[in-house]
Amino acid sequence: MLLPSLLLAYAFLLYSPTVLSCQWAIPLENDAGILYRFTPASSDETEELLAWAELREWDLWQIGHSHVDIYFPRPAVAEVELGLLPSHLPPTASHHINRSTPSCMLADRVKHASSPIVNEGRRWDVVSPSNATFHSQYHPLDEINSFARDLADAYPHQVSIIPLGHSSEGREMFALEITSGASAAHVSHDQNSQVVLNKKGKQSGAKPHCGFLITGAQHAREWVASASALYIAHALLADSSEEFSLSRLLGQYNFYIVPVPNPDGYLYTWTQDRFWYKNRLQLGPEARCVGIDMNRNWGYKWKTKSNSLHKSGPEDPCSHWYPGNRPFQAPEVNNMENYFSRLPHLKGFLDLRSYGQMLSTPFSYSCKKDPKDAEDQLEAISGAAHAVKKTHGTIFSTGALCSTLYRAPGNIVDWVYKKMRVKYSFAAHLRDTGTYGFALPEQWIRPVGEESARMVEYLADFIGEKECR
């Protein structure tokens, strides 16, 4: 028999306003933008370049220690725009990035709008993540929902689908709760609870499991982050004989995974703009732009400055980094905050992102302050980076978020660390380092998933030794 939470979850996954069948659009000959890399000679030159990017509303993809990546969707426009730059700020490398978006068929959505939807789509092979075709390609929202249902069907005593609330455009958000099965019916959402209840609601003598929280792509275009979150979920359920199985971790942990924290933005990257960044919140009846940067909308050290990359950056709702006019303004962020705050015994948190191949600790809001737990945090991610390298040879850099990326107040990692007091809170920017950026080819999905599984395995073991005995 299905758990009540699963029955409720089925309802929202079936009725969520989402695309029901999608196919890739045929790329046009000129359907490619250009990603430029700049290597400023000093911090002053970096600030100058960022000021130009802000003024001209260029699409900044990444800011690293020694480089800045800027994407232009149309080569002809790029030539004109870059011609405005002073001669001491030339790009040092460039390459084309396909900006084709999938072409999605909306007819089925209308067809089933007022009638129950039978799960008549593809039934995914969920027995083995190593053999599952699901992890060989990116998926639109309906296929992700279908995969979540299939996991819950195949492992009803281990997987619960938890509704989190509605997105800005009314889509249901969900989390996957994955346990050993023995604890599936008694996950307590009371952070103060120190006991474990059995199926009859009576106290059990077992020690409470630790909790490990994982989030997929808050930024809509970071597809590989959500793909990796789903791979990790699958690996947690895989037979222990499989190479990348994480099932042994369920003897010590309950896992809470939000694979698609930004469903509206994610869907928009399939139907309209492959490289859309924010959510799709309508900011007002006369607002000329849409959306909030969800990863600047968390309530720790939140600031109204929309662009903290450049010191004089104005508050601009059209900026990729617009943090909203108050913390937790984004319904998606508010839903996750409400859910996370009820999770018991959380000891680990990993925010999956792309791109850059970086493992990062708090803080994001300041480059001048270090967490009191910095030494232990850095030890944990250094070991995790080594575990990733042993998997497929991929090298991850490590450090504090502010130093590995840039200063960004209102970040989820800072909030989980300070407000939820989860000592081991990290961000992982997955592959690559800029060759493909956010358009990482599908053949890398599985290797990135395997690396992410090894990363989680190492972190869970490290945290378990220190926090879960």
Short mmCIF file of all heavy atoms in Angstrom, two decimals, residues 92-146:
data_model
loop_
_atom_site.label_atom_id
_atom_site.label_comp_id
_atom_site.label_asym_id
_atom_site.label_seq_id
_atom_site.Cartn_x
_atom_site.Cartn_y
_atom_site.Cartn_z
N THR A 92 40.60 36.84 -24.37
CA THR A 92 41.78 36.02 -24.66
C THR A 92 41.42 34.68 -25.30
O THR A 92 42.30 33.98 -25.79
CB THR A 92 42.57 35.76 -23.37
OG1 THR A 92 41.69 35.23 -22.37
CG2 THR A 92 43.18 37.06 -22.85
N ALA A 93 40.15 34.32 -25.28
CA ALA A 93 39.71 33.08 -25.91
C ALA A 93 38.21 33.18 -26.18
O ALA A 93 37.50 33.96 -25.53
CB ALA A 93 40.00 31.88 -25.01
N SER A 94 37.74 32.39 -27.14
CA SER A 94 36.31 32.36 -27.44
C SER A 94 35.96 31.07 -28.15
O SER A 94 36.81 30.47 -28.81
CB SER A 94 35.91 33.56 -28.30
OG SER A 94 36.49 33.47 -29.59
N HIS A 95 34.73 30.63 -28.01
CA HIS A 95 34.24 29.51 -28.78
C HIS A 95 32.72 29.55 -28.83
O HIS A 95 32.07 30.20 -28.01
CB HIS A 95 34.73 28.17 -28.21
CG HIS A 95 34.40 27.96 -26.76
ND1 HIS A 95 35.21 28.38 -25.75
CD2 HIS A 95 33.34 27.36 -26.17
CE1 HIS A 95 34.67 28.06 -24.59
NE2 HIS A 95 33.54 27.44 -24.81
N HIS A 96 32.15 28.84 -29.80
CA HIS A 96 30.71 28.86 -30.01
C HIS A 96 30.01 27.90 -29.05
O HIS A 96 30.51 26.81 -28.77
CB HIS A 96 30.37 28.50 -31.45
CG HIS A 96 30.71 29.58 -32.43
ND1 HIS A 96 31.99 29.79 -32.88
CD2 HIS A 96 29.93 30.53 -33.03
CE1 HIS A 96 32.00 30.81 -33.73
NE2 HIS A 96 30.77 31.28 -33.83
N ILE A 97 28.86 28.33 -28.57
CA ILE A 97 28.01 27.52 -27.70
C ILE A 97 26.63 27.45 -28.33
O ILE A 97 26.00 28.48 -28.61
CB ILE A 97 27.88 28.16 -26.29
CG1 ILE A 97 29.24 28.24 -25.60
CG2 ILE A 97 26.87 27.38 -25.44
CD1 ILE A 97 29.78 26.92 -25.11
N ASN A 98 26.13 26.24 -28.57
CA ASN A 98 24.80 26.07 -29.16
C ASN A 98 23.75 26.58 -28.20
O ASN A 98 23.70 26.20 -27.03
CB ASN A 98 24.56 24.59 -29.47
CG ASN A 98 23.36 24.37 -30.37
OD1 ASN A 98 22.45 25.20 -30.41
ND2 ASN A 98 23.37 23.27 -31.09
N ARG A 99 22.88 27.44 -28.69
CA ARG A 99 21.83 28.00 -27.83
C ARG A 99 20.45 27.47 -28.22
O ARG A 99 19.43 28.05 -27.85
CB ARG A 99 21.83 29.52 -27.90
CG ARG A 99 21.61 30.12 -29.28
CD ARG A 99 21.71 31.65 -29.24
NE ARG A 99 21.64 32.23 -30.56
CZ ARG A 99 20.52 32.57 -31.18
NH1 ARG A 99 19.36 32.37 -30.58
NH2 ARG A 99 20.53 33.09 -32.39
N SER A 100 20.40 26.37 -28.97
CA SER A 100 19.11 25.79 -29.33
C SER A 100 18.34 25.41 -28.08
O SER A 100 18.90 24.90 -27.11
CB SER A 100 19.30 24.53 -30.20
OG SER A 100 19.86 24.87 -31.43
N THR A 101 17.05 25.62 -28.09
CA THR A 101 16.19 25.18 -27.00
C THR A 101 15.30 24.07 -27.51
O THR A 101 14.96 24.03 -28.69
CB THR A 101 15.31 26.33 -26.48
OG1 THR A 101 14.55 26.87 -27.56
CG2 THR A 101 16.17 27.43 -25.88
N PRO A 102 14.90 23.14 -26.63
CA PRO A 102 14.00 22.09 -27.07
C PRO A 102 12.67 22.66 -27.51
O PRO A 102 12.19 23.66 -26.98
CB PRO A 102 13.83 21.22 -25.82
CG PRO A 102 15.00 21.57 -24.98
CD PRO A 102 15.28 23.01 -25.25
N SER A 103 12.07 22.01 -28.49
CA SER A 103 10.73 22.39 -28.93
C SER A 103 9.73 21.51 -28.22
O SER A 103 9.76 20.29 -28.35
CB SER A 103 10.61 22.20 -30.45
OG SER A 103 9.29 22.40 -30.89
N CYS A 104 8.85 22.11 -27.43
CA CYS A 104 7.96 21.33 -26.57
C CYS A 104 6.52 21.39 -27.05
O CYS A 104 6.01 22.45 -27.41
CB CYS A 104 8.05 21.83 -25.14
SG CYS A 104 9.68 21.55 -24.44
N MET A 105 5.88 20.26 -27.06
CA MET A 105 4.49 20.16 -27.50
C MET A 105 3.57 20.36 -26.31
O MET A 105 3.61 19.62 -25.34
CB MET A 105 4.23 18.77 -28.11
CG MET A 105 5.19 18.40 -29.25
SD MET A 105 4.97 19.42 -30.71
CE MET A 105 6.43 20.46 -30.61
N LEU A 106 2.70 21.39 -26.38
CA LEU A 106 1.84 21.73 -25.26
C LEU A 106 0.42 21.16 -25.41
O LEU A 106 -0.41 21.36 -24.55
CB LEU A 106 1.75 23.26 -25.12
CG LEU A 106 3.09 23.96 -24.85
CD1 LEU A 106 2.87 25.46 -24.79
CD2 LEU A 106 3.73 23.47 -23.58
N ALA A 107 0.15 20.46 -26.51
CA ALA A 107 -1.21 20.00 -26.76
C ALA A 107 -1.71 19.07 -25.66
O ALA A 107 -2.86 19.17 -25.22
CB ALA A 107 -1.28 19.28 -28.11
N ASP A 108 -0.87 18.16 -25.19
CA ASP A 108 -1.29 17.20 -24.16
C ASP A 108 -1.65 17.91 -22.87
O ASP A 108 -2.51 17.46 -22.12
CB ASP A 108 -0.18 16.18 -23.90
CG ASP A 108 -0.08 15.15 -25.01
OD1 ASP A 108 -1.04 15.05 -25.79
OD2 ASP A 108 0.97 14.49 -25.10
N ARG A 109 -0.98 19.02 -22.59
CA ARG A 109 -1.28 19.77 -21.37
C ARG A 109 -2.71 20.29 -21.41
O ARG A 109 -3.44 20.20 -20.42
CB ARG A 109 -0.30 20.93 -21.24
CG ARG A 109 -0.60 21.87 -20.10
CD ARG A 109 0.45 22.95 -20.03
NE ARG A 109 0.06 23.99 -19.09
CZ ARG A 109 0.76 25.09 -18.89
NH1 ARG A 109 1.88 25.28 -19.54
NH2 ARG A 109 0.34 25.99 -18.05
N VAL A 110 -3.13 20.80 -22.54
CA VAL A 110 -4.49 21.29 -22.69
C VAL A 110 -5.47 20.14 -22.67
O VAL A 110 -6.51 20.17 -22.02
CB VAL A 110 -4.64 22.09 -23.99
CG1 VAL A 110 -6.07 22.53 -24.20
CG2 VAL A 110 -3.71 23.29 -23.99
N LYS A 111 -5.09 19.06 -23.35
CA LYS A 111 -5.95 17.89 -23.45
C LYS A 111 -6.31 17.32 -22.10
O LYS A 111 -7.43 16.90 -21.85
CB LYS A 111 -5.24 16.83 -24.30
CG LYS A 111 -5.91 15.47 -24.36
CD LYS A 111 -5.04 14.52 -25.16
CE LYS A 111 -5.57 13.10 -25.12
NZ LYS A 111 -4.68 12.17 -25.85
N HIS A 112 -5.34 17.30 -21.17
CA HIS A 112 -5.55 16.67 -19.87
C HIS A 112 -5.81 17.68 -18.76
O HIS A 112 -5.77 17.32 -17.60
CB HIS A 112 -4.33 15.82 -19.49
CG HIS A 112 -4.11 14.65 -20.39
ND1 HIS A 112 -4.96 13.58 -20.43
CD2 HIS A 112 -3.13 14.38 -21.29
CE1 HIS A 112 -4.51 12.68 -21.30
NE2 HIS A 112 -3.41 13.15 -21.85
N ALA A 113 -6.08 18.94 -19.12
CA ALA A 113 -6.17 19.98 -18.10
C ALA A 113 -7.28 19.72 -17.10
O ALA A 113 -7.16 20.06 -15.93
CB ALA A 113 -6.38 21.34 -18.76
N SER A 114 -8.38 19.10 -17.53
CA SER A 114 -9.52 18.94 -16.62
C SER A 114 -9.85 17.48 -16.36
O SER A 114 -10.94 17.16 -15.90
CB SER A 114 -10.75 19.64 -17.21
OG SER A 114 -11.07 19.09 -18.47
N SER A 115 -8.92 16.58 -16.66
CA SER A 115 -9.19 15.17 -16.42
C SER A 115 -7.97 14.51 -15.83
O SER A 115 -6.84 14.95 -16.04
CB SER A 115 -9.56 14.47 -17.74
OG SER A 115 -8.50 14.57 -18.65
N PRO A 116 -8.17 13.43 -15.05
CA PRO A 116 -7.02 12.75 -14.44
C PRO A 116 -6.05 12.27 -15.51
O PRO A 116 -6.45 11.82 -16.58
CB PRO A 116 -7.66 11.58 -13.70
CG PRO A 116 -9.08 11.97 -13.49
CD PRO A 116 -9.45 12.81 -14.68
N ILE A 117 -4.78 12.37 -15.19
CA ILE A 117 -3.75 11.93 -16.12
C ILE A 117 -3.22 10.59 -15.65
O ILE A 117 -2.71 10.46 -14.55
CB ILE A 117 -2.59 12.94 -16.18
CG1 ILE A 117 -3.12 14.32 -16.61
CG2 ILE A 117 -1.51 12.47 -17.12
CD1 ILE A 117 -2.06 15.40 -16.55
N VAL A 118 -3.33 9.60 -16.49
CA VAL A 118 -2.76 8.30 -16.20
C VAL A 118 -1.27 8.36 -16.53
O VAL A 118 -0.87 9.03 -17.50
CB VAL A 118 -3.44 7.21 -17.04
CG1 VAL A 118 -2.81 5.84 -16.77
CG2 VAL A 118 -4.93 7.18 -16.73
N ASN A 119 -0.47 7.69 -15.76
CA ASN A 119 0.97 7.70 -16.02
C ASN A 119 1.23 6.84 -17.26
O ASN A 119 1.65 5.70 -17.19
CB ASN A 119 1.74 7.15 -14.83
CG ASN A 119 3.24 7.35 -14.99
OD1 ASN A 119 3.69 8.01 -15.91
ND2 ASN A 119 4.00 6.76 -14.08
N GLU A 120 0.95 7.47 -18.44
CA GLU A 120 1.01 6.71 -19.68
C GLU A 120 2.29 6.97 -20.45
O GLU A 120 2.46 6.51 -21.57
CB GLU A 120 -0.19 7.06 -20.56
CG GLU A 120 -0.32 8.54 -20.84
CD GLU A 120 -1.64 8.88 -21.51
OE1 GLU A 120 -2.40 7.94 -21.80
OE2 GLU A 120 -1.91 10.07 -21.72
N GLY A 121 3.20 7.73 -19.86
CA GLY A 121 4.48 7.99 -20.51
C GLY A 121 5.44 6.84 -20.26
O GLY A 121 5.06 5.76 -19.80
N ARG A 122 6.68 7.11 -20.55
CA ARG A 122 7.71 6.08 -20.40
C ARG A 122 7.88 5.67 -18.95
O ARG A 122 7.87 6.49 -18.05
CB ARG A 122 9.02 6.63 -20.95
CG ARG A 122 10.16 5.62 -20.86
CD ARG A 122 11.47 6.25 -21.30
NE ARG A 122 11.37 6.84 -22.62
CZ ARG A 122 12.38 7.44 -23.23
NH1 ARG A 122 13.54 7.55 -22.62
NH2 ARG A 122 12.23 7.94 -24.44
N ARG A 123 8.00 4.38 -18.73
CA ARG A 123 8.36 3.86 -17.41
C ARG A 123 9.85 3.66 -17.40
O ARG A 123 10.39 2.86 -18.15
CB ARG A 123 7.63 2.54 -17.15
CG ARG A 123 6.13 2.65 -17.18
CD ARG A 123 5.58 3.35 -15.96
NE ARG A 123 5.82 2.58 -14.77
CZ ARG A 123 5.37 2.92 -13.56
NH1 ARG A 123 4.68 4.03 -13.42
NH2 ARG A 123 5.63 2.17 -12.52
N TRP A 124 10.54 4.36 -16.57
CA TRP A 124 12.00 4.34 -16.58
C TRP A 124 12.53 3.10 -15.90
O TRP A 124 11.93 2.59 -14.95
CB TRP A 124 12.54 5.59 -15.90
CG TRP A 124 12.09 6.84 -16.55
CD1 TRP A 124 11.09 7.67 -16.15
CD2 TRP A 124 12.58 7.38 -17.78
NE1 TRP A 124 10.94 8.71 -17.03
CE2 TRP A 124 11.85 8.56 -18.05
CE3 TRP A 124 13.58 7.00 -18.68
CZ2 TRP A 124 12.08 9.35 -19.17
CZ3 TRP A 124 13.82 7.78 -19.79
CH2 TRP A 124 13.07 8.94 -20.03
N ASP A 125 13.67 2.63 -16.35
CA ASP A 125 14.37 1.51 -15.71
C ASP A 125 15.05 2.05 -14.46
O ASP A 125 16.03 2.79 -14.55
CB ASP A 125 15.40 0.92 -16.67
CG ASP A 125 16.25 -0.17 -16.03
OD1 ASP A 125 15.91 -0.58 -14.90
OD2 ASP A 125 17.25 -0.59 -16.64
N VAL A 126 14.52 1.72 -13.30
CA VAL A 126 15.07 2.24 -12.06
C VAL A 126 15.78 1.16 -11.24
O VAL A 126 16.13 1.38 -10.09
CB VAL A 126 13.97 2.90 -11.20
CG1 VAL A 126 13.40 4.12 -11.91
CG2 VAL A 126 12.87 1.91 -10.85
N VAL A 127 16.01 0.00 -11.83
CA VAL A 127 16.68 -1.08 -11.12
C VAL A 127 18.15 -0.75 -10.91
O VAL A 127 18.70 -0.95 -9.83
CB VAL A 127 16.52 -2.41 -11.87
CG1 VAL A 127 17.34 -3.51 -11.19
CG2 VAL A 127 15.05 -2.80 -11.94
N SER A 128 18.78 -0.22 -11.94
CA SER A 128 20.22 -0.01 -11.89
C SER A 128 20.59 1.34 -12.50
O SER A 128 20.34 1.57 -13.69
CB SER A 128 20.95 -1.13 -12.65
OG SER A 128 22.29 -0.77 -12.90
N PRO A 129 21.19 2.26 -11.74
CA PRO A 129 21.63 3.52 -12.33
C PRO A 129 22.73 3.32 -13.37
O PRO A 129 22.89 4.14 -14.27
CB PRO A 129 22.15 4.32 -11.13
CG PRO A 129 22.41 3.32 -10.06
CD PRO A 129 21.45 2.20 -10.30
N SER A 130 23.48 2.25 -13.26
CA SER A 130 24.55 2.00 -14.23
C SER A 130 24.00 1.69 -15.62
O SER A 130 24.63 2.01 -16.62
CB SER A 130 25.42 0.82 -13.76
OG SER A 130 26.03 1.11 -12.53
N ASN A 131 22.83 1.07 -15.66
CA ASN A 131 22.25 0.67 -16.94
C ASN A 131 21.08 1.54 -17.38
O ASN A 131 20.61 1.42 -18.51
CB ASN A 131 21.78 -0.80 -16.87
CG ASN A 131 22.93 -1.75 -16.59
OD1 ASN A 131 24.03 -1.56 -17.10
ND2 ASN A 131 22.68 -2.78 -15.79
N ALA A 132 20.59 2.39 -16.50
CA ALA A 132 19.40 3.18 -16.81
C ALA A 132 19.69 4.20 -17.90
O ALA A 132 20.66 4.95 -17.82
CB ALA A 132 18.90 3.88 -15.55
N THR A 133 18.83 4.22 -18.91
CA THR A 133 18.99 5.21 -19.98
C THR A 133 18.65 6.61 -19.51
O THR A 133 19.03 7.59 -20.16
CB THR A 133 18.09 4.85 -21.17
OG1 THR A 133 16.72 4.80 -20.73
CG2 THR A 133 18.49 3.50 -21.76
N PHE A 134 17.95 6.72 -18.39
CA PHE A 134 17.55 8.04 -17.90
C PHE A 134 18.75 8.96 -17.71
O PHE A 134 18.66 10.17 -17.97
CB PHE A 134 16.79 7.89 -16.57
CG PHE A 134 16.24 9.18 -16.05
CD1 PHE A 134 15.00 9.64 -16.45
CD2 PHE A 134 16.97 9.96 -15.16
CE1 PHE A 134 14.49 10.85 -15.98
CE2 PHE A 134 16.48 11.16 -14.67
CZ PHE A 134 15.24 11.61 -15.09
N HIS A 135 19.86 8.41 -17.27
CA HIS A 135 21.03 9.22 -16.96
C HIS A 135 21.93 9.47 -18.17
O HIS A 135 23.08 9.87 -18.01
CB HIS A 135 21.82 8.58 -15.82
CG HIS A 135 21.00 8.33 -14.60
ND1 HIS A 135 20.44 9.35 -13.86
CD2 HIS A 135 20.63 7.17 -14.00
CE1 HIS A 135 19.76 8.83 -12.85
NE2 HIS A 135 19.86 7.52 -12.91
N SER A 136 21.40 9.23 -19.35
CA SER A 136 22.16 9.45 -20.58
C SER A 136 21.72 10.71 -21.32
O SER A 136 22.28 11.03 -22.37
CB SER A 136 22.01 8.24 -21.53
OG SER A 136 22.50 7.07 -20.91
N GLN A 137 20.72 11.40 -20.79
CA GLN A 137 20.23 12.60 -21.46
C GLN A 137 19.58 13.54 -20.44
O GLN A 137 19.26 13.14 -19.32
CB GLN A 137 19.23 12.24 -22.56
CG GLN A 137 18.04 11.44 -22.05
CD GLN A 137 17.13 10.95 -23.16
OE1 GLN A 137 16.15 10.27 -22.92
NE2 GLN A 137 17.43 11.29 -24.40
N TYR A 138 19.41 14.79 -20.87
CA TYR A 138 18.67 15.75 -20.05
C TYR A 138 17.18 15.52 -20.26
O TYR A 138 16.75 15.00 -21.30
CB TYR A 138 19.04 17.18 -20.43
CG TYR A 138 20.47 17.54 -20.12
CD1 TYR A 138 21.39 17.77 -21.14
CD2 TYR A 138 20.91 17.65 -18.81
CE1 TYR A 138 22.71 18.11 -20.86
CE2 TYR A 138 22.23 17.98 -18.52
CZ TYR A 138 23.12 18.20 -19.55
OH TYR A 138 24.43 18.54 -19.27
N HIS A 139 16.38 15.95 -19.28
CA HIS A 139 14.95 15.67 -19.32
C HIS A 139 14.11 16.89 -19.00
O HIS A 139 14.46 17.66 -18.09
CB HIS A 139 14.62 14.56 -18.32
CG HIS A 139 15.29 13.26 -18.61
ND1 HIS A 139 14.77 12.34 -19.50
CD2 HIS A 139 16.46 12.74 -18.16
CE1 HIS A 139 15.60 11.31 -19.58
NE2 HIS A 139 16.62 11.52 -18.78
N PRO A 140 13.00 17.05 -19.72
CA PRO A 140 12.06 18.11 -19.35
C PRO A 140 11.36 17.77 -18.04
O PRO A 140 11.49 16.66 -17.51
CB PRO A 140 11.07 18.14 -20.53
CG PRO A 140 11.13 16.75 -21.09
CD PRO A 140 12.56 16.29 -20.90
N LEU A 141 10.61 18.71 -17.54
CA LEU A 141 10.05 18.60 -16.20
C LEU A 141 9.13 17.39 -16.04
O LEU A 141 9.16 16.72 -15.00
CB LEU A 141 9.29 19.89 -15.87
CG LEU A 141 9.10 20.25 -14.41
CD1 LEU A 141 10.41 20.28 -13.64
CD2 LEU A 141 8.40 21.61 -14.31
N ASP A 142 8.33 17.09 -17.04
CA ASP A 142 7.40 15.97 -16.90
C ASP A 142 8.14 14.65 -16.77
O ASP A 142 7.71 13.75 -16.04
CB ASP A 142 6.43 15.92 -18.08
CG ASP A 142 7.10 15.54 -19.39
OD1 ASP A 142 7.97 16.30 -19.84
OD2 ASP A 142 6.77 14.47 -19.94
N GLU A 143 9.28 14.51 -17.47
CA GLU A 143 10.04 13.26 -17.38
C GLU A 143 10.75 13.14 -16.04
O GLU A 143 10.92 12.03 -15.52
CB GLU A 143 11.02 13.16 -18.55
CG GLU A 143 10.33 13.01 -19.89
CD GLU A 143 11.30 12.85 -21.04
OE1 GLU A 143 12.53 12.84 -20.79
OE2 GLU A 143 10.84 12.74 -22.19
N ILE A 144 11.15 14.25 -15.47
CA ILE A 144 11.73 14.23 -14.12
C ILE A 144 10.67 13.79 -13.12
O ILE A 144 10.91 12.95 -12.24
CB ILE A 144 12.30 15.60 -13.76
CG1 ILE A 144 13.57 15.88 -14.58
CG2 ILE A 144 12.61 15.69 -12.26
CD1 ILE A 144 14.15 17.26 -14.39
N ASN A 145 9.45 14.35 -13.25
CA ASN A 145 8.35 13.94 -12.37
C ASN A 145 8.04 12.46 -12.53
O ASN A 145 7.80 11.74 -11.55
CB ASN A 145 7.11 14.77 -12.68
CG ASN A 145 7.24 16.22 -12.25
OD1 ASN A 145 8.17 16.58 -11.53
ND2 ASN A 145 6.33 17.05 -12.70
N SER A 146 8.06 11.98 -13.78
CA SER A 146 7.79 10.57 -14.04
C SER A 146 8.86 9.68 -13.40
O SER A 146 8.55 8.64 -12.82
CB SER A 146 7.74 10.34 -15.55
OG SER A 146 7.62 8.97 -15.85
#
